[in-house]
């Protein structure tokens, strides 16, 4: 489906305690980027049109890559056995990068080495690029193996309008999971990006991302701010300079062992909040548990190092900001029930609460067929959070809205996921911080 030349940008924002309001901000003549077959695209912008040729995905050949020991072929599909090093992202493999028929596994380097048999000695997860030894096969558990294979890297190429009004194509830097568009020179305008999403054999509309907006359209600044209405005790402490204790409570995205400390969403938020309230004394605490849900936390027994009463309620924070993409399997009724119990716990200790809606995860996990035209989050969990916040006057930082519009900025949202599944990079973490400071009457990029 081609992107229409005439398009209308819609903005949804949270008013009060979670009411979703949409408004048409503007109608404009937008750029057009469409595939012509194979590796050809037609770009049109500012009255200029050009047919451009995109280089196919970058293929990498690996020979005799050593693995000191090969794990048994088991585990979830994204981490089954041992991830091939070339197709490995953060903590797991990348889907659709490996050329499955290219893999050979041997007991040494060089032509005289023994070749192991697929299906007898080892098995391969062909889409995700994990391989592992089979019980009863001839691969010893404590001996090295050597793998040879081919895989494709991702790439974001940009169609650029030059100062002399010509359209040109510039290649991005290939990356296994998080490719970034190439830099612009002075006076240049990015018309769109072409996403080489791994091992593909042609371009389709799903690979073409015209730039329809250069930044997220921030809502009008609310007076009073959402925080002033729903987080009055926190705001009073921020303004007075009295110490305010904020707890970031969540899963692996909050624990965030994969990014430097200052790039975590809670640390970006704290830094921005200190800019907004320079007199404030902010104590930022974090309690994150990878792979777990709010229910898992609340079910931990007394004495557990993750006991909810000790690790969350026992800290007596003034403000709790919760982030749980691992709760995304909940339907709306489960959200209203489970989060209602959490609210009672927080009210009992006098803590105020901000709920972060989650970022987008892998498209197939969300029921999405592409990464364009996806402004509205389809997950019942997100609808449930919005309804819960509205019904209970709980502050909602609706980060999902920002993730759903990345395609309008020419960015496939999954290129911000360092594990190609659900772990945001520092740009994705900034979207959380942007959403949180919006509640406090501070908008725009920092």
């Amino acid at each position: 489906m081609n992107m229409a030349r005439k398009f209308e940008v819609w903005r949804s924002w949270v008013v009060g305690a979670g009411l979703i309001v949409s408004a048409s901000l503007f109608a404009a003549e937008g750029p057009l980027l469409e595939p012509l077959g194979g590796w050809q695209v037609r770009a049109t912008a500012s009255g200029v049109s050009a047919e451009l040729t995109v280089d196919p995905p970058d293929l990498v050949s690996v020979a005799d890559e050593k693995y000191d020991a090969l794990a048994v072929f088991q585990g979830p599909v994204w981490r089954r056995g041992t991830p091939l090093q070339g197709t490995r992202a953060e903590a797991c493999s990348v889907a659709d990068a490996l050329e499955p028929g290219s893999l050979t596994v041997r007991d040494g380097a060089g032509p005289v080495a023994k070749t192991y048999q697929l299906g007898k000695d080892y098995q391969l997860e062909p889409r995700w690029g994990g391989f592992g030894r089979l019980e009863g096969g001839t691969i010893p558990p404590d001996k090295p193996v050597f793998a040879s294979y081919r895989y494709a890297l991702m790439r974001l190429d940009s169609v650029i309008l030059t100062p002399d009004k010509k359209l040109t194509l510039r290649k991005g830097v290939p990356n296994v999971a998080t490719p970034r568009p190439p830099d612009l020179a002075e006076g240049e305008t990015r018309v769109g990006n072409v996403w080489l999403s791994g091992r593909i054999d042609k371009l389709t509309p799903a690979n073409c991302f015209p730039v329809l907006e250069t930044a997220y359209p921030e809502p009008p600044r609310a007076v009073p701010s959402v925080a002033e209405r729903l987080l009055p005790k926190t705001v009073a402490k921020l303004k007075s300079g009295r110490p305010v204790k904020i707890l970031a409570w969540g899963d692996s995205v909050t624990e965030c062992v994969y990014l430097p400390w200052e790039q975590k969403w809670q640390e970006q938020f704290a830094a921005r909040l200190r800019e907004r309230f320079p007199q404030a004394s902010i104590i930022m605490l974090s309690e994150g548990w990878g792979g777990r849900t709010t229910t898992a936390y609340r079910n931990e027994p007394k004495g557990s190092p993750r006991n909810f009463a000790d690790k969350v309620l026992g800290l007596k924070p003034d403000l709790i900001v919760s982030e749980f993409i691992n709760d995304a399997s909940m339907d709306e009724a489960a959200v209203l029930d489970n989060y209602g119990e959490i609210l009672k716990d927080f009210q009992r200790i006098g803590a105020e609460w901000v709920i972060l809606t989650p970022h987008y995860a892998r498209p197939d996990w969300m029921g999405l067929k592409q990464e364009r035209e996806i402004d509205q989050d389809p997950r019942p969990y997100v609808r449930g959070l919005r309804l819960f916040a509205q019904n209970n006057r709980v502050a909602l930082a609706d980060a999902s809205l920002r993730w759903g519009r990345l395609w309008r900025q020419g960015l496939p949202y999954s290129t911000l996921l360092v594990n190609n599944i659900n772990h945001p990079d520092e740009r994705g973490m900034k979207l959380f911080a942007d959403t949180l400071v919006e509640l406090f009457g501070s908008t725009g990029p920092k």
Side-chain angles (χ1 to χ4, degrees), residues 70-73 80-82 121-124 130-134 139:
L70 193 60
V72 173
F73 189 70
R80 186 160 293 172
T82 298
D121 298 315
Y122 71 97
Q123 190 55 271
L124 168 70
F131 72 127
R133 61 185 176 83
L134 295 175
I139 299 178

Side-chain angles (χ1 to χ4, degrees), residues 1-221:
M1 179 178 67
N2 293 337
M3 182 72 64
R5 294 296 307 283
K6 291 284 188 180
F7 67 91
E8 199 168 32
V9 177
W10 287 79
R11 170 69 166 92
S12 297
W13 61 85
V14 180
V15 177
L19 178 63
I20 303 299
V21 178
S22 296
S24 175
L25 296 182
F26 62 88
E29 186 78 6
L32 181 69
L33 188 60
E34 57 183 347
L36 298 177
W39 303 106
Q40 300 289 121
V41 295
R42 178 185 292 116
T44 306
S46 301
V48 181
S49 185
E51 294 185 6
L52 303 166
T53 301
V54 179
D55 287 346
D58 299 89
L59 294 176
V60 180
S61 294
V62 177
D64 295 329
E65 188 171 72
K66 184 179 179 181
Y67 296 78
D68 290 332
L70 193 60
V72 173
F73 189 70
Q74 60 186 16
V77 291
W78 61 87
R79 197 172 59 222
R80 186 160 293 172
T82 298
L84 288 165
Q85 294 175 27
T87 61
R88 183 186 178 105
E90 183 269 325
C92 65
S93 301
V94 172
D96 303 318
L98 176 68
E99 184 180 312
S102 68
L103 177 66
T104 59
V105 181
R106 300 186 295 176
D107 68 354
V112 298
K114 172 186 175 181
T115 299
Y116 291 114
Q117 295 184 40
L118 177 67
K120 180 179 178 182
D121 298 315
Y122 71 97
Q123 190 55 271
L124 168 70
E125 209 307 308
R127 186 180 180 207
W128 288 86
F131 72 127
R133 61 185 176 83
L134 295 175
E135 298 290 358
T138 62
I139 299 178
D142 57 351
K143 298 294 184 180
V145 298
F146 296 77
S148 300
Y149 57 97
R150 288 187 300 276
Y151 68 99
L153 294 168
M154 296 188 194
R155 203 175 70 236
L156 274 174
D157 295 351
S158 289
V159 176
I160 293 168
L161 183 66
T162 63
D164 57 353
K165 302 302 178 185
K166 294 181 180 178
L167 290 170
T168 186
L169 185 74
R170 184 173 301 159
K171 287 183 67 172
V173 177
N175 188 278
V176 70
T178 53
R180 302 197 184 204
D183 293 334
L184 298 179
E186 185 175 356
E188 294 180 337
T189 301
R190 200 183 314 273
V191 171
N193 291 319
V194 180
W195 181 33
L196 285 300
S197 53
R199 190 171 43 81
I200 58 175
D201 56 13
K202 66 178 180 178
L203 298 174
T204 70
N207 302 108
C208 298
F209 287 76
V211 174
L212 307 181
E213 60 191 31
T214 56
Y216 181 76
E218 299 289 347
R221 182 170 295 185

Side-chain angles (χ1 to χ4, degrees), residues 327-379:
D327 275 358
S329 61
M330 289 185 182
D331 60 20
E332 295 173 55
V335 171
L336 297 180
D337 182 35
N338 293 351
Y339 279 60
E341 293 301 313
I342 294 170
L343 178 58
K344 292 177 186 177
D345 290 331
F346 291 170
Q347 289 173 334
R348 190 172 66 253
I349 64 170
E352 294 174 327
W353 189 12
V354 175
I355 299 174
L356 264 173
T357 59
H359 54 293
Y360 281 30
R362 281 191 58 83
D364 50 356
W365 286 19
M366 293 182 58
L368 298 174
K369 295 182 179 180
Q370 61 178 12
E371 297 194 27
R372 295 180 10 162
E373 293 95 32
I374 53 169
D375 299 59
Q376 295 303 318
D377 193 317
R379 293 171 289 188

